[in-house]
Amino acid sequence: MLAGEEGFGCQRAMELLVALGKIYDADRLIPIVSAHLSGVSYKTMGEGGLLFLKELSGDARVTVPTTLNPAGMDLQRWRGMGVDANFAAKQIEIITCYSHMGVETTCTCTPYVIGNLPGIGEHVAWAESSALSFINSAVGAMTNREGGPGALAAAIVGATPEYGLHLKENRAATIVIEVGDIREIFDLSLLGQAVGPIVGGGIPYFRGIHPELEGMKLLAAAMAASGSVAMFHVEGLTPESDEQVLDGLEAISIGRRELDVAKESLQTADEPELIALGCPHLTVKEVRELAKMLEGKQRVKDVEVWFCTSRSVRDECTKEVEVLERFGKVVCDTCMVVAPIEDQYSVTGTNSAKACNYLPTLCSQKVVCASARELLEGLM
Ligand code: F3S
């Protein structure tokens, strides 16, 4: 592969993996069972990225099941989002390149709820910081915090250098977090926001929380954005939590005061022009809960509302989608961060600490950080 005997794209992919292996002192390549790619939106990829992708997709094909992160627009209803035609044409080119390479153009950051779910102990190469932290932690699959190009190279070669979180000894907890006073799922997002900067790239071990899948994904996303956490353990819940040796580890407590401080640190405005929920993408359960909350309710304020989810989840929830669409738009394939929302809005309200971290820098937004209930009830 490195000599180019299997084509230009495969050679470039192998060159990248060899370089990564050398940097991180890996002994060997190990086979992977799946990949998940980020770097899909034309907004973040730009002309340079598109050019690279075009070159690679000439002859390279992925060799393991590979899914794709959100793009810069709803691929079917982009006009309704106010996306301009030039952007749309570029975005479709990107998706076509990935599709040509054999990538499943799922365009969601929760691939683990729509079929790309590795097993415990299986090696994968996933980009998308929230998703990779979720599968390392909640599932017990093994991936490093890949960038888009590294994950794509691994998907083409079908292997990744063995270092970091692919090695059991690097998956041990580094700090204990004692949590008190979690009242609602939104608090788990704030918890992640509070913990990320303290932990940095370490591995926290949580006591005092019992999140379901939806809480885990919010927590994972927030810590990956406010710090660079790629894995965590939850006592009695995550698959590797029982093996942890906690003696001698630093322990800190997070309670209501720290959660309030985390919320205040994210909030920079009071009146949203756009309310966007679904970072990471809404699951079926979340869509159903939102529909229940909004059934029969009228929106009084003229604020744009987006419910961001995967196309699969949308297709599974047709009745609930009807309820949500009376209130706003159920937007698929994209999200409030990777879509070019800055062309239309300057203040966004969201319940996701991850989105609150990225909206100011990637979308020039001021941010209203509140629970989904608070944000939506503010419109009635
Ligand atoms: Fe997903 Fe976009 Fe958030 S990719 S995790 S909804 S920033």
Side-chain angles (χ1 to χ4, degrees):
M1 287 180 184
L2 201 54
E5 287 171 14
E6 298 191 25
F8 168 81
C10 198
Q11 184 180 28
R12 292 296 296 273
M14 188 55 111
E15 282 169 358
L16 181 59
L17 296 184
V18 168
L20 279 172
K22 281 187 176 156
I23 291 168
Y24 292 104
D25 208 15
D27 286 338
R28 58 178 185 151
L29 287 170
I30 45 170
I32 56 167
V33 301
S34 77
H36 179 73
L37 312 180
S38 64
V40 184
S41 171
Y42 180 62
K43 171 172 149 175
T44 49
M45 181 181 264
E47 266 320 287
L50 175 54
L51 204 64
F52 172 74
L53 197 59
K54 273 185 184 167
E55 271 183 5
L56 213 60
S57 63
D59 63 2
R61 303 289 175 268
V62 298
T63 56
V64 294
T66 303
T67 47
L68 206 56
N69 227 28
M73 61 187 199
D74 188 309
L75 297 173
Q76 293 178 7
R77 303 201 305 170
W78 53 269
R79 284 185 190 82
M81 292 174 65
V83 171
D84 83 55
N86 182 48
F87 183 98
K90 297 288 186 184
Q91 186 62 71
I92 288 164
E93 252 190 285
I94 291 170
I95 299 295
T96 306
C97 285
Y98 279 123
S99 175
H100 192 62
M101 295 169 87
V103 175
E104 296 170 43
T105 54
T106 46
C107 296
T108 179
C109 48
T110 54
Y112 46 85
V113 298
I114 64 157
N116 186 356
L117 180 62
I120 185 165
E122 287 189 325
H123 294 278
V124 299
W126 281 34
E128 173 44 48
S129 60
S130 69
L132 69 90
S133 178
F134 180 91
I135 58 154
N136 267 329
S137 313
V139 177
M142 301 169 95
T143 181
N144 281 318
R145 188 173 162 133
E146 298 287 354
L152 177 56
I156 292 168
V157 172
T160 193
E162 187 184 41
Y163 69 93
L165 294 174
H166 290 290
L167 297 166
K168 194 76 181 160
E169 63 265 29
N170 294 330
R171 298 170 66 86
T174 58
I175 184 168
V176 177
I177 315 284
E178 309 271 2
V179 186
D181 208 10
I182 294 291
R183 298 173 191 169
E184 56 175 332
I185 190 166
F186 174 55
D187 287 340
L188 290 167
S189 202
L190 298 179
L191 174 62
Q193 177 65 24
V195 168
I198 298 168
V199 174
I203 301 182
Y205 179 99
F206 288 98
R207 280 192 175 128
I209 57 170
H210 305 281
E212 295 184 353
L213 183 154
E214 287 72 16
M216 294 284 264
K217 82 177 164 77
L218 277 174
L219 179 62
M223 283 193 292
S226 66
S228 52
V229 176
M231 178 166 186
F232 57 95
H233 303 284
V234 179
E235 188 170 60
L237 191 60
T238 53
E240 292 163 71
S241 62
D242 290 352
E243 310 156 15
Q244 300 308 308
V245 179
L246 305 177
D247 292 345
L249 292 186
E250 179 191 0
I252 59 162
S253 298
I254 302 281
R256 184 53 42 188
R257 198 174 66 83
E258 287 77 16
L259 301 182
D260 288 344
V261 169
K263 182 171 185 282
E264 277 161 29
S265 73
L266 295 170
Q267 177 103 357
T268 50
D270 297 315
E271 293 292 331
E273 298 165 1
L274 167 69
I275 289 175
L277 306 174
C279 170
H281 274 175
L282 297 169
T283 62
V284 167
K285 183 177 178 215
E286 288 173 309
V287 168
R288 290 191 174 140
E289 283 173 359
L290 285 166
K292 206 167 156 196
M293 187 197 301
L294 296 176
E295 179 82 65
K297 303 272 171 44
Q298 286 293 326
R299 189 178 57 157
V300 177
K301 282 196 189 165
D302 186 21
V303 171
E304 176 84 353
V305 181
W306 288 3
F307 304 98
C308 302
T309 190
S310 62
R311 197 157 292 284
S312 294
V313 167
R314 183 193 165 103
D315 291 347
E316 207 179 320
C317 300
T318 42
K319 279 207 184 92
E320 291 83 359
V321 165
E322 275 177 32
V323 175
L324 298 187
E325 294 249 306
R326 274 180 234 130
F327 218 85
K329 296 187 177 82
V330 176
V331 171
C332 300
D333 315 316
T334 188
C335 79
M336 66 296 271
V337 171
V338 296
I341 63 166
E342 58 280 11
D343 295 347
Q344 300 178 73
Y345 310 103
S346 54
V347 184
T348 297
T350 181
N351 60 343
S352 163
K354 173 174 176 176
C356 290
N357 276 282
Y358 289 132
L359 283 165
T361 49
L362 290 177
C363 309
S364 310
Q365 299 292 293
K366 289 200 163 137
V367 168
V368 182
C369 178
S371 69
R373 182 172 292 281
E374 282 174 285
L375 287 165
L376 295 172
E377 285 183 353
L379 303 183
M380 297 178 202

